[in-house]
Amino acid sequence: MAAACAVTAAAVLLPLALSSPDPDRPGVVREPASMAAAPAAPAAPADTCPDPEASLRPSDLDGPTIQRIRSAGKLVAGVDQNSFKWGYRKADGSLAGFDIDLVKAIAKDILGSEDKVIYRAIPTNQRIPALQEGRVDIVVRTMTINCKRLEDVAFSTAYFEAGQQVLAPSGSAITGYDASLNGRRVCTATGSTAEAALKTRSYGAVPVSVPNQLDCLVRLQLGQVDGIITDNALAAGQAAQDPSLKLVGAPFTREFYGVAMNKEAGDLVRRVNKVLENYRAGGENGPWEKAYKDHFENVLPKGAKPPAPKYRDG
């Protein structure tokens, strides 16, 4: 299953470096300034900004970024294609997952069709550079909102709550994010909050960083690492792919996923927040809960609800 998920992107998922028109406007998708991989992120300090999950108030008014996306006729979305249940390739080559459903809802609201999307696969450590360099309009890729990232990009309100947890083989001596990691090879994705947590407190673990989260799963299956630290929502999908793995210990953080955008694209942030208001509405028959049931019914706890939005002025 891991091999199937790692299939190279088909035509619908364009390479990250492809350009789009109009390079001089805010938040525009354009040729990257450099093709070099982004450096590994330093360990992030604890959040000190007030209410990092608070975002701009929703609006359906058309600003310059919305107008530019409409003129281009496509929404360019940075996504994952390797995370089962979130953003992954099905057997027929199409993309599916909780994050993909949200991208479609945003495209339908702005462009009138959920199919008017250019999907670009981006590794974890390219999410922020892709937005800053204008290679994508939005990133919907299990991206945790935090103060450090708010220095570089803008976020929508939170659309999912998760927490960091340890994934290990059944029968492993690893019991969680604790002293049982001492001397163990522990894998994280470069630029992830899991990597930052392990740098801050390693418990004697030997860190192994890889570009994409699925690379950790493959390394664990090959016996090249002893455990993985990642969001428990992602880890649950990996455990569903490989029943020989299990989540151990308790979640040791509380994190919220948001849609990331260019800091200059305030009109797009407000529009996405408007989409999320509608996406959360409707209870059991609403889009959010339907997507949760479709993708996580047998993987994550039943009856989950979307996080309540927080807003700020200015």
Side-chain angles (χ1 to χ4, degrees), residues 67-272:
Q67 291 173 6
R68 191 261 304 155
I69 292 171
R70 283 193 174 147
S71 178
K74 294 285 185 179
L75 176 71
V76 185
V79 298
D80 198 348
Q81 64 165 353
N82 296 322
S83 291
F84 191 47
K85 301 295 185 180
W86 288 96
Y88 67 100
R89 287 275 171 195
K90 294 167 58 177
D92 62 5
S94 64
L95 279 168
F98 191 88
D99 281 346
I100 303 304
D101 286 353
L102 181 52
V103 170
K104 291 178 178 179
I106 295 169
K108 185 173 183 179
D109 182 86
I110 295 174
L111 296 167
S113 171
E114 65 178 30
D115 298 323
K116 292 184 177 181
V117 182
I118 295 173
Y119 293 100
R120 291 186 177 167
I122 52 175
T124 304
N125 68 345
Q126 281 287 308
R127 294 178 296 189
I128 288 175
L131 288 165
Q132 291 178 321
E133 297 178 9
R135 290 179 261 161
V136 296
D137 297 315
I138 60 175
V139 168
V140 187
R141 196 188 182 285
T142 58
M143 190 168 179
T144 299
I145 304 167
N146 62 35
C147 297
K148 179 64 177 175
R149 289 172 177 167
L150 283 168
E151 296 174 5
D152 301 313
V153 297
F155 279 99
S156 70
T157 53
Y159 67 86
F160 201 93
E161 180 178 350
Q164 294 293 317
Q165 201 166 351
V166 179
L167 184 69
S170 298
S172 169
I174 296 175
T175 57
Y177 185 60
D178 54 32
S180 66
L181 296 177
N182 186 40
R184 308 286 182 180
R185 299 160 298 175
V186 178
C187 190
T188 62
T190 303
S192 67
T193 51
E195 182 189 48
L198 197 61
K199 285 181 177 179
T200 301
R201 187 169 188 181
S202 71
Y203 285 105
V206 179
V208 178
S209 295
V210 296
N212 285 301
Q213 190 57 49
L214 184 66
D215 298 332
C216 282
L217 176 61
V218 173
R219 290 195 179 210
L220 188 60
Q221 291 170 326
L222 293 175
Q224 296 174 354
V225 297
D226 303 301
I228 299 170
I229 297 179
T230 186
D231 299 355
N232 54 2
L234 282 170
Q238 293 179 351
Q241 288 176 272
D242 187 342
S244 70
L245 306 177
K246 64 177 182 178
L247 286 163
V248 295
F252 57 90
T253 64
R254 188 182 184 196
E255 304 186 13
F256 296 90
Y257 298 159
V259 179
M261 289 154 279
N262 190 288
K263 288 192 76 170
E264 299 178 21
D267 61 320
L268 181 57
V269 175
R270 292 182 185 276
R271 187 57 167 264
V272 170

